[in-house]
Amino acid sequence: MCGISGIVSKEPISRRLLSSIRSQEYRGYDSCGMGTLHEGRLHIRKSTGGVDEVNEKEDLITLEGRLGIAHTRWATHGGVTAENAHPHHSMNGEFALAHNGIISNYQELREELLSLGFSFCSQTDTEVLVNLVQHLFQQSGNVEEAFVTALNRVQGSYAVIMMTPHLPETLFCAKHESPLVIGLGNGEHFIGSDINAFLEYTRRAVVLEDGEYAVITHDAYEVRQVGNRQWVDKAVLSIDWDTETTKKGGFAHYMLKEIFDEPQTIRQALKVPRGSVEGLARLLEQAGQGYLMGVGTTFYVAQIAQYLFSNFCGRYFPAISSDEFSDVSSIGSGDAVIAISQSGETYDTKTALQHAQRQGAKTGAVVNVMGSSISMMVDHVIMQGSGPEICVVSTKAALAQVILLMRTALELGRQTRKLSAEQERTHLAELEALPEVVESALNEKSGFLRNLARATHQVEHWLFLGCGLYYPVAMESALKMKEVTYQHAEGMPAGFLKHGTLSLIEPSVHSLFFIPPPEQKSLHTRTLIAMEEIRTRGGTVVGFCAQDDERAQGILHHAVTLPSTPTLTAPLLQMVLAQLLSYYTALELKREIDKPRNLAKSVTVG
């Protein structure tokens, strides 16, 4: 959940180390810290707040040294205090460590160290680990042996980077169930929780796998196994992400930029090789039972895909939230599980995949980060190629996943002959046209959505409603409103209203409807009936509808009218514009848009 960085170089590293940890701030921003090794001593500065705030308070950028580590925190063990911020040093000040993850047996180790005379400055599990390394070094006199022995004693998850004056030109790092990547530079090497940590400086990377550690200097690195210290030969990956995508490009916030990136995101998703899509479709075709799995936004992506596979293939693949997967699924040999994860490191999804694999199921995934744990553990992966998404709230990455799963459903429909070749070509042509439609709608409706946000931003309770495929679109859109505005928004099927929820309706409760085009007669009628039920009872009705849909516009208090769009892509256009409405509402409420409170981008702890 946290972000960690490390650099070892022939040149001073403070500016680049600060930039590195700033580029991972979406992973957590409760507190921040940096440490360097200079003239034989560790120098650590840290405090609560975001990276720039801590830099202003602690002057991180002036730290001297050619070797250092940094951390941006999402609090787990211990509250949000300067004492609990990372990096942590050992009691004698000879070891410093930054950590992402949770050490589950830290209390037992803490009691052991207390009995040996150790004292602690924080409530964190991380300080326990760094003092354990100190204790073991005092016994062996060998840094690497102490580091590895400590790792073999801890239980839980970790990605760690360690430095010590005993080896002043060396960084140590290790990984178990939390992501860690090494960037290979010229006369310098980088370490980060993900490739954003060093994308500005190198495009060559080595991905550590569970149970591996590395010993790194400015001109060399070695990867070994924690269990037996055996050397591991690692492939070097070439990263094809564009560094420009990590910059705001004149937009006020990354969220706004990433929403306006979505036309290009769709184009990139359509460029993913057909063979990759065919492979995922074949995995599902051969399955006795298939499951779609994600958590948070990706669960709603899975729900959207559930409708797509049913419509185009006649196959029902239930969508299950990753955190509940092992409790509700009935997995066996010959089944298939498709996981959806933007980071490729989502703890709940990894755990559910491991459960499925133990039962003999085949696994596939759609992920955005190359070399991520999920991308390497499944039988077939689609790399979505959306580029970095910096805002904690996912917009463009989620849309790309919907597009790729839509392509997979169309491919499976063709493979099973539920769709004719002509029908598939027609739908693919509609997808090809979508980027221009989204681009025009963003430009034309931006001002209107800004005005709608101004008129409704004080609304504390929203219902987001839709029928059919528009139901999971409504659920995902409600999540966006909750995440970025902190206002209550509840997504549900429009038909659900009369089974209890109508008791909530009053003028202060607003309902946002996702209205299908009139040619989808049954869905359209069902949606309008629900709109009438709310309006009759004094509720305020807002909705996205086609510009020629006079019936819907006659019911709505606020109508966001959209150009005529094929039924295949109309819900996706509405999903994008709902993201923009959430953004402008958060802007009116003066929220911390790119870094909403209590959230982090990559949830790598259970």
Side-chain angles (χ1 to χ4, degrees):
M1 191 73 79
C2 307
I4 61 177
S5 294
I7 303 177
V8 52
S9 175
K10 294 187 292 185
E11 305 295 334
I13 50 89
S14 62
R15 288 185 180 275
R16 284 172 297 162
L17 190 58
L18 182 64
S19 175
S20 176
I21 205 62
R22 184 187 288 119
S23 70
Q24 295 184 94
E25 195 171 15
Y26 54 83
R27 302 180 65 91
Y29 32 85
D30 292 329
S31 61
C32 169
M34 275 175 49
T36 60
L37 202 162
H38 183 59
E39 295 181 343
R41 293 180 58 236
L42 297 176
H43 303 267
I44 295 174
R45 300 175 188 174
K46 56 186 181 177
S47 188
T48 57
V51 173
D52 288 333
E53 181 183 353
V54 174
N55 181 44
E56 187 172 332
K57 288 190 287 187
E58 300 293 333
D59 210 11
L60 303 177
I61 204 165
T62 64
L63 280 166
E64 295 184 272
R66 293 174 171 80
L67 178 149
I69 62 178
H71 187 278
T72 181
R73 184 174 188 241
W74 188 80
T76 52
H77 286 76
V80 181
T81 66
E83 291 77 16
N84 289 334
H86 297 221
H88 288 281
H89 61 76
S90 60
M91 189 176 73
N92 66 4
E94 294 180 1
F95 295 86
L97 192 145
H99 166 224
N100 173 31
I102 291 179
I103 297 171
S104 56
N105 64 334
Y106 85 103
Q107 286 284 20
E108 171 190 332
L109 295 170
R110 183 185 180 99
E111 291 299 321
E112 176 185 334
L113 291 167
L114 285 169
S115 71
L116 293 169
F118 280 81
S119 60
F120 296 89
C121 302
S122 76
Q123 302 166 296
T124 67
D125 52 347
T126 306
E127 191 182 7
V128 173
L129 176 56
V130 74
N131 275 313
L132 180 61
V133 173
Q134 177 194 317
H135 169 61
L136 293 168
F137 176 76
Q138 288 169 342
Q139 293 181 325
S140 69
N142 183 293
V143 174
E144 183 174 353
E145 181 179 333
F147 182 62
V148 174
T149 303
L151 294 177
N152 278 310
R153 291 203 57 193
V154 300
Q155 299 168 9
S157 63
Y158 58 76
V160 297
I161 310 176
M162 188 188 78
M163 61 182 180
T164 174
H166 295 293
L167 289 173
E169 297 182 354
T170 305
L171 286 177
F172 292 83
C173 65
K175 171 200 183 313
H176 182 68
E177 296 184 353
S178 288
L180 201 63
V181 189
I182 302 169
L184 307 180
N186 183 16
E188 58 190 357
H189 288 138
F190 306 85
I191 308 169
S193 295
D194 59 46
I195 59 180
N196 286 304
F198 48 76
L199 188 60
E200 187 176 352
Y201 310 114
T202 182
R203 301 294 185 87
R204 299 172 65 239
V206 169
V207 180
L208 290 190
E209 298 185 48
D210 285 352
E212 294 179 346
Y213 74 97
V215 182
I216 305 171
T217 63
H218 68 80
D219 59 357
Y221 71 96
E222 287 188 356
V223 178
R224 299 184 180 275
Q225 294 176 353
V226 171
N228 56 22
R229 297 176 66 175
Q230 292 295 306
W231 179 77
V232 182
D233 186 18
K234 302 293 291 185
V236 177
L237 300 180
S238 179
I239 304 164
D240 59 3
W241 282 4
D242 181 358
T243 56
E244 287 303 311
T245 61
T246 67
K247 300 174 182 177
K248 288 183 184 177
F251 288 91
H253 297 93
Y254 281 112
M255 182 178 180
L256 184 61
K257 176 190 181 293
E258 287 158 6
I259 291 171
F260 275 83
D261 280 346
E262 287 182 290
Q264 184 58 27
T265 300
I266 299 168
R267 295 184 185 102
Q268 289 300 118
L270 294 174
K271 288 179 182 178
V272 169
R274 183 165 187 167
S276 186
V277 175
E278 287 174 337
L280 198 63
R282 273 195 302 274
L283 194 150
L284 285 168
E285 182 186 14
Q286 296 165 4
Q289 174 61 56
Y291 295 89
L292 305 167
M293 180 178 66
V295 67
T297 285
T298 54
F299 171 57
Y300 297 131
V301 171
Q303 284 192 313
I304 293 170
Q306 175 182 275
Y307 280 83
L308 296 172
F309 283 108
S310 180
N311 292 340
F312 296 134
C313 320
R315 294 286 301 273
Y316 173 58
F317 301 132
I320 302 176
S321 186
S322 303
D323 58 315
E324 295 293 325
F325 185 82
S326 60
D327 296 314
V328 72
S329 62
S330 180
I331 292 289
S333 179
D335 293 338
V337 178
I338 307 302
I340 307 157
S341 171
Q342 285 125 30
S343 69
E345 301 291 349
T346 311
Y347 176 86
D348 292 315
T349 304
K350 285 166 58 180
T351 301
L353 278 171
Q354 290 163 350
H355 168 77
Q357 289 170 336
R358 286 193 297 269
Q359 308 309 311
K362 293 288 186 181
T363 55
V366 181
V367 300
N368 193 35
V369 180
M370 65 188 306
S372 57
S373 297
I374 289 173
S375 72
M376 295 189 292
M377 69 187 291
V378 296
D379 298 301
H380 183 83
V381 64
I382 294 180
M383 299 304 306
Q384 65 189 77
S386 304
E389 187 176 60
I390 305 302
C391 179
V392 167
V393 176
S394 181
T395 52
K396 68 175 185 176
L399 180 63
Q401 291 170 331
V402 173
I403 297 293
L404 286 164
L405 289 165
M406 185 177 285
R407 287 183 60 192
T408 305
L410 292 171
E411 177 62 33
L412 183 56
R414 184 190 64 80
Q415 289 180 9
T416 57
R417 302 192 178 183
K418 297 293 184 181
L419 282 179
S420 68
E422 180 59 32
Q423 287 174 315
E424 185 191 25
R425 280 194 296 271
T426 298
H427 289 319
L428 289 174
E430 291 168 347
L431 281 177
E432 293 284 352
L434 182 59
E436 286 72 24
V437 174
V438 171
E439 200 162 47
S440 296
L442 285 171
N443 290 327
E444 293 171 8
K445 298 301 175 180
S446 181
F448 184 88
L449 290 168
R450 180 74 183 267
N451 290 335
L452 178 59
R454 285 176 177 144
T456 61
H457 71 277
Q458 296 294 350
V459 174
E460 295 183 355
H461 300 287
W462 283 90
L463 299 176
F464 281 45
L465 302 138
C467 295
L469 185 61
Y470 292 84
Y471 155 48
V473 168
M475 296 280 283
E476 160 58 11
S477 300
L479 178 62
K480 288 293 157 283
M481 183 67 83
K482 282 181 282 196
E483 286 178 309
V484 76
T485 70
Y486 317 154
Q487 307 289 65
H488 173 240
E490 185 175 353
M492 67 180 65
F496 212 78
L497 277 169
K498 53 185 171 287
H499 299 282
T501 309
L502 275 175
S503 66
L504 296 175
I505 298 304
E506 58 183 54
S508 63
V509 176
H510 282 42
S511 299
L512 177 62
F513 278 88
F514 297 79
I515 306 167
E519 54 264 35
Q520 290 185 285
K521 292 182 180 179
S522 175
L523 285 182
H524 186 259
T525 298
R526 284 161 53 194
T527 306
L528 265 58
I529 288 171
M531 291 162 56
E532 290 278 16
E533 289 171 346
I534 289 177
R535 178 138 191 168
T536 298
R537 288 158 178 81
T540 303
V541 188
V542 184
F544 296 103
C545 65
Q547 60 190 8
D548 58 354
D549 188 353
E550 295 180 0
R551 285 182 61 201
Q553 291 173 44
I555 303 171
L556 295 168
H557 292 95
H558 303 280
V560 182
T561 59
L562 307 176
S564 296
T565 310
T567 57
L568 178 73
T569 54
L572 305 188
L573 177 60
Q574 294 191 22
M575 187 170 114
V576 171
L577 294 181
Q579 295 169 353
L580 194 56
L581 177 61
S582 294
Y583 169 80
Y584 282 130
T585 304
L587 192 67
E588 291 298 319
L589 292 166
K590 296 180 171 54
R591 301 305 192 215
E592 187 67 49
I593 290 174
D594 288 330
K595 298 178 288 184
R597 67 186 183 195
N598 303 330
L599 300 182
K601 184 71 170 174
S602 178
V603 184
T604 59
V605 294

